[in-house]
Amino acid sequence: MHRVRHPVRRRPRHPGGSGALSTPRLRIDTPERAGLDPAQLRRVVEDVHALTSGADPWAAGAVVAVGRGPVLAVEEAAGWAVRYASYDPRTGRGVELPAGSRVPMTAGTPFDLASLTKLFTAVAAVQQIERGTLGIDAAVGAYLPDFRGAAAHGVTVRQLLTHTSGLRPELPLYDYADDAARLARLRAEQPVGVPGTYCYSDLNMLLLQHLLERLTGRTLDVLVHEGITRPLGMTATRFGPCPGAAATEDQRRPWAKADRGMLRGVVHDENAWALGGVAGHAGLFSTGRDLAIFCRALLGGGAYGPARILGSDFVELLFTEPGLGFALDQPWFMGELAGRGAAGHTGFTGTMLVLDPATDTFAVLLANTVHPCRRPPDNGPRAALGTRLARAVRAI
């Protein structure tokens, strides 16, 4: 089993979540001022427009944000937030809306973050570890004894955060009649793999959500708002509904797991929807600018402006192999940025963020690749963005 290589040390919380010193906030400026090669960043902008163009684009629309240090050097929107009225399974194509009814993408368009939500759940958990109210190697059963499956197998908090609990990837909770039945099913779920073996699972973050809510007496949406988004000034980041968001899927069986029609502003993930829209693995909506702030705060050792959401030791803990919630050094979506401790995640709806402490850089790519219908994932554009950013740093 993977282990974090340094001990977890309790660190005093700064009063009101603020640090003793203010750190620089993001500002929009040129690539040169950011210490990035403008030619590579021009290609980033060209790429995002190419990805959203044509009859069968990679995504209907997208927003990309790239920066280094306190400088946001690229913030570009392309394509459409809403392009299709429905999906036609006979042709395998979307049914286009009339030109006047389409909604153009803007830099401020919110997106369904899908699994990027896991990063916020992980930060909320590490905040409790920093406070000393949660033990990273404590048994989940010590906090959730009624979750019999995990308790009987000695699943730990660390295993939930590192996807090494042995829990299966997902359960069809959306097929159960009500919340009581869904909760009973989740409580009874036992690991199907050997604890300590990696298996990416939404269930890890669902159990972590229940643990945090039991521990604090507050729901996950409140924990994320009070502990992360409000202090950082991420005013566009919240759990749904989010009426102005980019559209996602015309969600119908057999290609989807539920019959809900064209989705916009409500969570795409069927389990998160069945659970009321607030879930540890999915449900958050956000913008490119807000996620750039989130990246900047983590690259700044947990501080942004006068606010501090984590001590620097605990940000380091998030990014220590194999990563707590965050994936580390994954070339399949980070490209050439992987290799020196880059951290990030992707989301099923077409989202990605990656940050690289070694170069103090970050990239956010938000796209509605599932509009109008889900398709096999193509991670090439995500990896290409990471590669362009890595080359932009090396060229200076």
Side-chain angles (χ1 to χ4, degrees), residues 14-392:
H14 297 280
S18 297
L21 298 174
S22 182
T23 60
R25 295 179 183 271
L26 276 178
R27 69 179 192 275
I28 298 174
D29 213 325
T30 64
E32 293 88 345
R33 292 287 182 87
L36 295 170
D37 177 28
Q40 287 292 341
L41 296 198
R42 280 195 297 272
R43 296 188 69 180
V44 166
V45 172
E46 293 167 359
D47 287 349
V48 75
H49 284 280
L51 290 167
T52 57
S53 300
D56 188 26
W58 178 74
V63 171
V64 64
V66 175
R68 188 179 193 188
V71 175
L72 182 61
V74 171
E75 187 179 37
E76 185 79 7
W80 303 96
V82 184
R83 176 172 173 173
Y84 303 100
S86 62
Y87 172 71
D88 186 346
R90 296 169 300 177
T91 63
R93 303 287 291 272
V95 178
E96 300 261 6
L97 286 164
S101 298
R102 299 177 193 173
V103 180
M105 193 68 74
T106 71
T109 298
F111 285 76
D112 180 339
L113 295 187
S115 285
L116 296 193
T117 302
K118 293 180 172 76
L119 303 182
F120 291 80
T121 305
V123 169
V126 173
Q127 287 177 332
Q128 296 302 317
I129 293 168
E130 180 179 16
R131 291 187 176 102
T133 57
L134 180 63
I136 191 169
D137 287 310
V140 170
Y143 302 93
L144 299 173
D146 49 326
F147 281 64
R148 302 180 304 279
H153 287 262
V155 171
T156 68
V157 172
R158 189 192 298 271
Q159 289 171 344
L160 296 182
L161 283 163
T162 57
H163 295 285
T164 56
S165 66
L167 292 168
R168 73 186 75 204
E170 63 176 16
L171 287 171
L173 298 176
Y174 47 84
D175 280 341
Y176 287 78
D178 52 38
D179 288 344
R182 295 181 191 107
L183 183 57
R185 181 66 185 85
L186 191 60
R187 283 172 170 165
E189 179 65 14
Q190 300 189 38
V192 297
V194 178
T197 303
Y198 180 84
C199 177
Y200 181 81
S201 171
D202 289 348
L203 303 186
N204 290 311
M205 292 302 170
L206 281 174
L207 263 65
L208 192 58
Q209 173 190 2
H210 282 281
L211 189 158
L212 291 171
E213 292 180 344
R214 184 81 57 85
L215 178 69
T216 64
R218 292 179 289 171
T219 56
L220 181 65
D221 55 334
V222 173
L223 289 172
V224 169
H225 176 67
E226 293 184 352
I228 304 173
T229 61
R230 184 171 66 184
L232 295 181
M234 296 172 62
T235 57
T237 305
R238 62 186 183 275
F239 286 92
C242 184
T248 54
E249 185 177 30
D250 181 8
Q251 199 170 88
R252 289 181 280 151
R253 299 177 195 267
W255 58 85
K257 303 165 188 174
D259 291 297
R260 300 167 61 200
M262 184 61 75
L263 304 179
R264 186 185 185 198
V266 292
V267 65
H268 174 271
D269 182 89
E270 293 93 343
N271 272 344
W273 162 69
L275 294 168
V278 177
H281 69 291
L284 273 176
F285 290 78
S286 189
T287 62
R289 179 73 65 90
D290 264 22
L291 290 181
I293 291 171
F294 182 64
C295 291
R296 185 65 246 148
L298 294 174
L299 287 168
Y304 181 76
R308 178 172 290 281
I309 60 169
L310 278 176
S312 58
D313 289 352
F314 291 87
V315 174
E316 182 184 347
L317 180 64
L318 281 170
F319 300 155
T320 300
E321 184 68 32
L324 300 183
F326 287 79
L328 303 183
D329 289 329
Q330 298 297 311
W332 63 271
F333 77 89
M334 298 177 181
E336 293 177 11
L337 206 60
R340 293 174 297 181
H345 214 287
T346 64
F348 185 80
T349 51
T351 58
M352 179 197 81
L353 70 78
V354 59
L355 50 92
D356 181 24
T359 58
D360 200 24
T361 56
F362 63 86
V364 174
L365 178 61
L366 301 178
N368 53 352
T369 58
V370 297
H371 181 54
C373 184
R374 65 187 70 192
R375 64 179 80 182
D378 174 8
N379 292 300
R382 291 163 163 158
L385 174 58
T387 293
R388 295 218 186 280
L389 180 53
R391 293 178 181 179

